[in-house]
Amino acid sequence: AQSVTQLGSHVSVSEGALVLLRCNYSSSVPPYLFWYVQYPNQGLQLLLKYTSAATLVKGINGFEAEFKKSETSFHLTKPSAHMSDAAEYFCAVSGVNTGFQKLVFGTGTRLLVSP
Amino acid sequence: KAGVTQTPRYLIKTRGQQVTLSCSPISGHRSVSWYQQTPGQGLQFLFEYFSETQRNKGNFPGRFSGRQFSNSRSEMNVSTLELGDSALYLCASSFRTGSTEAFFGQGTRLTVV
């Protein structure tokens, strides 16, 4: 079965610091991987996706992620955090085994940004 | 272009009642998926509909059901509500063929008392 593990339920950074949110996946077939962001009382917004093209994926709001097959990782980074980045972030996987439309989500990481 | 629209945004129901939630996908999208989000279980897939047919189903009891209409709008129904059904219910739409990118609505917050 496909799954993702997000390390750290909470990550705290200072404004201007590097943001690193970790995601490791488990899949017996090439996966599709996604990062979503959720603001309070809102739905999910797609930040970026990996669908077997370039391993370094650039997304919206300055975020990017690198697919590393050898490490089964898809960590999300942003060089400089902004106060508006404070939200909950979810890594998700889909693939041929579970159906490409079925997203399997990690437990989420809440990003806290301090001034 | 309008996004995914879910109605209502908030709902309070009593145990034992049933509830129907509605989702209008982005124009042209024919796949609609539903997710339940709770603090304890996180985001869990309920089911996916495409061309008025259920294509995939998560691990939920039969009290949870859904349907899709010819215009791709979808409804989900929960019968005999339990306190544990209190959650944010999210709908996502996509083209299904080609791009796997799913666009989410703002959700319906269901509270069962």
Side-chain angles (χ1 to χ4, degrees):
Chain A
Q2 293 174 306
S3 65
V4 290
T5 301
Q6 292 185 242
L7 296 174
S9 58
H10 291 80
V11 169
S12 294
V13 300
S14 299
E15 193 173 19
L18 170 72
V19 175
L20 170 61
L21 304 182
R22 300 177 186 273
C23 173
N24 288 89
Y25 70 90
S26 172
S27 178
S28 59
V29 297
Y32 285 12
L33 292 161
F34 307 83
W35 275 100
Y36 283 88
V37 62
Q38 185 177 37
Y39 297 97
N41 296 316
Q42 298 294 318
L44 301 174
Q45 181 183 15
L46 181 68
L47 283 175
L48 48 80
K49 64 179 181 181
Y50 167 76
T51 55
S52 74
T55 56
L56 182 61
V57 182
K58 294 189 183 298
I60 62 171
N61 301 339
F63 285 95
E64 64 181 39
E66 186 171 7
F67 174 74
K68 292 186 177 180
K69 186 177 179 180
S70 61
E71 300 176 10
T72 61
S73 68
F74 191 58
H75 302 331
L76 182 71
T77 61
K78 182 174 180 178
S80 177
H82 193 273
M83 296 295 290
S84 61
D85 294 326
E88 189 148 24
Y89 293 79
F90 293 92
C91 181
V93 63
S94 73
V96 65
N97 281 359
T98 55
F100 286 108
Q101 303 308 309
K102 177 182 176 181
L103 292 168
V104 177
F105 287 91
T107 51
T109 298
R110 185 168 299 278
L111 177 65
L112 307 168
V113 183
S114 56
Chain B
K1 196 174 188 180
V4 178
T5 303
Q6 291 188 246
T7 56
R9 288 292 311 278
Y10 301 92
L11 208 48
I12 300 175
K13 289 288 188 179
T14 304
R15 273 181 302 175
Q17 288 186 313
Q18 73 166 16
V19 67
T20 299
L21 312 182
S22 179
C23 173
S24 293
I26 291 171
S27 178
H29 285 191
R30 297 174 61 199
S31 170
V32 174
S33 299
W34 289 88
Y35 293 82
Q36 182 196 64
Q37 185 177 24
T38 61
Q41 299 299 316
L43 281 154
Q44 294 186 289
F45 174 81
L46 280 156
F47 28 64
E48 183 224 349
Y49 285 86
F50 177 75
S51 292
E52 303 177 61
T53 302
Q54 188 181 90
R55 303 291 178 155
N56 206 342
K57 189 177 189 303
N59 190 24
F60 278 82
R63 300 186 298 106
F64 291 82
S65 63
R67 60 177 175 169
Q68 186 179 36
F69 303 94
S70 58
N71 61 358
S72 295
R73 189 177 71 85
S74 177
E75 290 180 347
M76 68 163 282
N77 185 278
V78 187
S79 63
T80 319
L81 284 166
E82 301 177 359
L83 295 178
D85 297 332
S86 295
L88 180 66
Y89 290 89
L90 293 164
C91 166
S93 77
S94 72
F95 283 111
R96 198 175 202 265
T97 55
S99 169
T100 59
E101 186 170 332
F103 295 83
F104 282 80
Q106 291 192 306
T108 294
R109 172 76 63 184
L110 171 65
T111 301
V112 182
V113 297

